[in-house]
Amino acid sequence: DGGITQSPKYLFRKEGQNVTLSCEQNLNHDAMYWYRQDPGQGLRLIYYSQIVNDFQKGDIAEGYSVSREKKESFPLTVTSAQKNPTAFYLCATLQGSGKLFFGSGTQLSVL
Amino acid sequence: GESVGLHLPTLSVQEGDNSIINCAYSNSASDYFIWYKQESGKGPQFIIDIRSNMDKRQGQRVTVLLNKTVKHLSLQIAATQPGDSAVYFCAENIAGGSQGNLIFGKGTKLSVKP
């Protein structure tokens, strides 16, 4: 998807398990975002990072964690504290003034 | 709280007809709007954007209209094709908010009949 790689495409989580979703970009964009999408719903912001080694909580950060050690990478960990993790997760970078560019998404399901 | 919403959750059109997808926003401080297209199982794709100092903007087969008086945004797709079938989202950015922190509507599903 044009410079943003999300992996895996599908992920299954067992109860009590932490899982990490990968997001890598080669667009040299500073800002990166994680969104959650539930069926028939709009996108909700989980976390975002405007620069390396810095990130901020979005609207639904509880039960999630992130890191931004490199400009290219912004992994999202769904912790066991997130009781309803089943959703489609989208990573995005900021392209131009306010325009987000999205990856292809990861579908997370609970076993 | 203020939010972005859509008038119609689904829209079915005949191939070749024009499509109009509507979006209402309630935050008068919003100054930037974007339309995205999302196909099943994929990430949203940028279609077109418009700033609040404009009323209309045209792209290839698409036009976005902004009516600030009634806080209404629409996406017009000319000569709709089967490949246009997808969910369309509008999004707004509130002036003074963090850049890139868009508020998304729930989406309208466009189905194109052959």
Side-chain angles (χ1 to χ4, degrees):
Chain A
D1 275 67
I4 299 177
T5 302
Q6 288 191 242
S7 62
K9 179 69 174 174
Y10 300 97
L11 185 59
F12 296 90
R13 193 192 89 165
K14 296 179 181 178
E15 193 171 339
Q17 184 183 40
N18 292 354
V19 292
T20 298
L21 285 61
S22 171
C23 179
E24 302 283 329
Q25 57 113 348
N26 61 5
L27 301 168
N28 201 35
H29 290 162
D30 288 317
M32 298 185 72
Y33 300 77
W34 274 106
Y35 285 90
R36 170 178 171 141
Q37 185 176 33
D38 293 282
Q41 301 295 316
L43 305 181
R44 293 185 290 168
L45 182 63
I46 304 173
Y47 267 98
Y48 65 101
S49 168
Q50 294 181 311
I51 197 168
V52 174
N53 292 323
D54 187 51
F55 48 83
Q56 285 79 39
K57 294 181 179 180
D59 300 321
I60 56 166
E62 186 174 350
Y64 300 97
S65 66
V66 294
S67 62
R68 187 82 187 280
E69 298 177 0
K70 300 186 299 181
K71 187 175 186 177
E72 299 80 15
S73 180
F74 190 39
L76 173 74
T77 297
V78 183
T79 74
S80 57
Q82 173 49 247
K83 298 306 180 186
N84 184 24
T86 297
F88 191 51
Y89 291 86
L90 287 159
C91 178
T93 66
L94 187 61
Q95 179 187 46
S97 183
K99 187 189 303 180
L100 290 176
F101 184 66
F102 288 89
S104 57
T106 292
Q107 175 63 51
L108 175 62
S109 302
V110 177
L111 289 176
Chain B
E2 298 187 55
S3 63
V4 175
L6 295 173
H7 292 307
L8 297 172
T10 60
L11 178 65
S12 183
V13 300
Q14 202 71 35
E15 181 178 357
D17 288 351
N18 297 335
S19 302
I20 300 176
I21 301 171
N22 296 303
C23 177
Y25 67 96
S26 56
N27 195 322
S28 58
S30 296
D31 65 350
Y32 179 57
F33 304 87
I34 306 177
W35 280 101
Y36 285 93
K37 172 187 179 183
Q38 186 176 25
E39 297 175 69
S40 182
K42 297 184 179 180
Q45 294 175 280
F46 170 85
I47 301 174
I48 193 168
D49 58 359
I50 190 168
R51 297 210 171 270
S52 58
N53 61 353
M54 301 172 68
D55 297 322
K56 179 180 179 179
R57 192 165 187 217
Q58 288 185 292
Q60 188 176 13
R61 282 202 307 120
V62 294
T63 301
V64 55
L65 298 177
L66 176 62
N67 185 331
K68 294 180 287 293
T69 302
V70 296
K71 298 187 182 67
H72 185 266
L73 191 70
S74 69
L75 176 70
Q76 299 178 3
I77 304 174
T80 312
Q81 302 168 0
D84 295 326
S85 294
V87 175
Y88 290 81
F89 293 92
C90 63
E92 64 177 322
N93 195 18
I94 299 172
S98 297
Q99 192 177 57
N101 287 2
L102 299 172
I103 300 173
F104 289 85
K106 294 183 178 180
T108 292
K109 182 176 181 180
L110 176 64
S111 296
V112 181
K113 297 177 288 186

